[in-house]
Amino acid sequence: MKKTLITGAAGFLGSHLCDRFIAEGHHVIGMDNLITGDLKNIEHLFSLKRFEFYHHDVTKFVHVPGKMDYILHFASPASPIDYLKIPIQTLKVGSLGTLNLLGLAKEKKARILVASTSEVYGDPLVHPQNEDYYGNVSPIGPRGVYDEAKRFMESITMAYHRHHGLDTRIVRIFNTYGSRMRLNDGRVVPAFIGQALRGEDLTVFGNGSQTRSFTYIDDQVEGIYRLLMSDYVEPINIGNPDETTILEFAEEIIKLTGTDQKIVFKQLPQDDPLQRQPDISRAKEILDWEPRVPRAEGLKKVFEYFKSLSEAELWKTHRDFSNNK
């Protein structure tokens, strides 16, 4: 039986990866410090003999006994609301956390996949974004704490691959949505659906002409799994090239939810990317992967999920990180 460590296991994407690897017959060790993750995302796994959970911060020394076949490093705040409130932890998990897990992979002779992001491209001057584009990122801007943490993650991962011969993979994840997202995490899909369900106006930043490309969680997990099992060591974009403007997307959500809220406009945050669309030619060629779930279908599924949440979840405010400075 293959043994797989997944960090960030109690998060949105990490919890779905736990499900997938257990379904593939792996013994899964989930690890999370629960700053942004939630145990309810993985509580359905606790009764399984092939699942263990370690409550641990990967920026501190990581030890897991026994053999290890695969490590997937998904620990990190991923929402701007979160990483702007806990910038130091965000930088540490991308740097110290990655260093610790690369060291563990080296010790265990395990293959490691690290979760990078489309944010390494910053506010891109190339459209769509392919893996050979170096990006347009401000290292000292407020969003730099996330963008540069992920860029460092890629650099040190490739250094371990070249210097130590470590078996590494790098996935660049584009906007992903699905069940187990937090309604209050600030990302556009839960933000718009949450506002619609609460009867609030939908908030669009800027004039709404900025673009995003949304990938349904099942497609994203499939792409990550195929990359891990491939022989390809350089970064690969996993995302949906179906691009839409934020204003068009807000109108889609109003139609989907059957509400009649207005769209209100606020100032665009500093360094917010104006365009985001993956070039997935490499994923198609190397992994034989492309997204299968149309946005209309995926949004119906995630809307049903959010409708099923309790009133308390629906009205929950943003997380308090005052004890995590």
Side-chain angles (χ1 to χ4, degrees):
M1 187 184 298
K2 297 295 185 183
K3 193 172 181 181
T4 300
L5 170 66
I6 300 175
T7 72
F12 157 55
L13 190 44
S15 65
H16 284 278
L17 286 167
C18 289
D19 290 344
R20 174 60 184 268
F21 279 84
I22 286 172
E24 295 288 344
H26 293 229
H27 181 101
V28 172
I29 298 172
M31 185 174 289
D32 204 301
N33 65 356
L34 303 178
I35 287 184
T36 60
D38 196 319
L39 285 177
K40 76 175 190 298
N41 291 334
I42 51 173
E43 63 186 3
H44 62 288
L45 302 175
F46 287 162
S47 62
L48 303 180
K49 290 182 179 179
R50 287 191 290 109
F51 181 74
E52 301 175 60
F53 178 72
Y54 288 22
H55 184 192
H56 183 70
D57 182 345
V58 298
T59 66
K60 299 175 172 61
F61 178 74
V62 178
H63 172 69
V64 178
K67 71 157 193 166
M68 187 71 58
D69 296 288
Y70 302 109
I71 297 171
L72 291 90
H73 180 26
F74 280 74
S76 177
S79 152
I81 281 183
D82 290 347
Y83 62 67
L84 293 175
K85 287 184 177 179
I86 46 173
I88 308 301
Q89 286 96 328
T90 301
L91 285 160
K92 286 172 70 176
V93 76
S95 55
L96 297 176
T98 304
L99 180 64
N100 286 337
L101 290 159
L102 288 166
L104 180 66
K106 180 171 173 280
E107 176 198 345
K108 302 290 187 180
K109 297 181 172 56
R111 178 178 298 176
I112 181 170
L113 180 147
V114 299
S116 187
T117 170
S118 62
E119 297 300 323
V120 299
Y121 300 122
D123 188 8
L125 305 177
V126 169
H127 194 73
Q129 295 80 56
N130 63 52
E131 293 89 346
D132 295 326
Y133 176 52
Y134 294 156
N136 177 38
V137 176
S138 168
I140 60 171
R143 293 175 69 103
V145 300
Y146 184 66
D147 303 357
E148 295 293 3
K150 294 296 190 179
R151 287 161 70 94
F152 175 85
M153 169 189 277
E154 291 194 12
S155 294
I156 196 169
T157 298
M158 289 306 297
Y160 263 74
H161 170 71
R162 294 186 180 112
H163 187 69
H164 293 300
L166 193 64
D167 196 7
T168 60
R169 306 288 184 271
I170 300 171
V171 58
R172 288 181 180 162
I173 297 169
F174 282 69
N175 295 69
T176 303
Y177 68 98
S179 61
R180 303 179 194 157
M181 297 188 88
R182 295 194 343 251
L183 267 178
N184 60 356
D185 83 350
R187 286 181 278 193
V188 66
V189 173
F192 280 173
I193 293 179
Q195 287 175 326
L197 288 173
R198 291 188 296 267
E200 301 168 355
D201 293 334
L202 272 60
T203 304
V204 168
F205 294 97
N207 61 11
S209 63
Q210 67 271 37
T211 67
R212 295 294 183 268
S213 305
F214 299 102
T215 313
Y216 187 63
I217 183 64
D218 292 356
D219 285 331
Q220 185 63 242
V221 167
E222 178 65 24
I224 292 166
Y225 184 82
R226 290 191 187 196
L227 174 57
L228 180 70
M229 298 305 167
S230 77
D231 295 323
Y232 194 76
V233 301
E234 294 192 1
I236 286 193
N237 291 336
I238 299 294
N240 193 327
D242 182 16
E243 183 183 25
T244 184
T245 70
I246 293 297
L247 184 57
E248 289 169 341
F249 187 64
E251 291 165 349
E252 279 183 46
I253 295 298
I254 289 173
K255 183 177 179 181
L256 169 71
T257 58
T259 53
D260 57 0
Q261 277 85 356
K262 300 196 301 276
I263 296 173
V264 297
F265 297 88
K266 292 189 177 180
Q267 185 175 352
L268 193 69
Q270 183 178 340
D271 300 329
D272 196 56
L274 297 181
Q275 292 179 307
R276 187 66 83 230
Q277 182 188 23
D279 180 332
I280 61 168
S281 304
R282 192 176 289 185
K284 285 181 177 180
E285 178 184 351
I286 294 168
L287 308 179
D288 190 26
W289 177 91
E290 60 183 317
R292 303 290 183 190
V293 181
R295 191 166 68 244
E297 180 184 332
L299 286 175
K300 283 180 184 176
K301 292 180 180 180
V302 78
F303 179 51
E304 290 304 313
Y305 167 77
F306 284 132
K307 276 202 305 183
S308 73
L309 296 179
S310 66
E311 283 289 308
E313 286 287 334
L314 182 61
W315 290 93
K316 188 182 288 186
T317 56
H318 298 305
R319 289 202 172 184
D320 179 11
F321 296 110
S322 58
N323 294 321
N324 299 106
K325 296 179 180 179

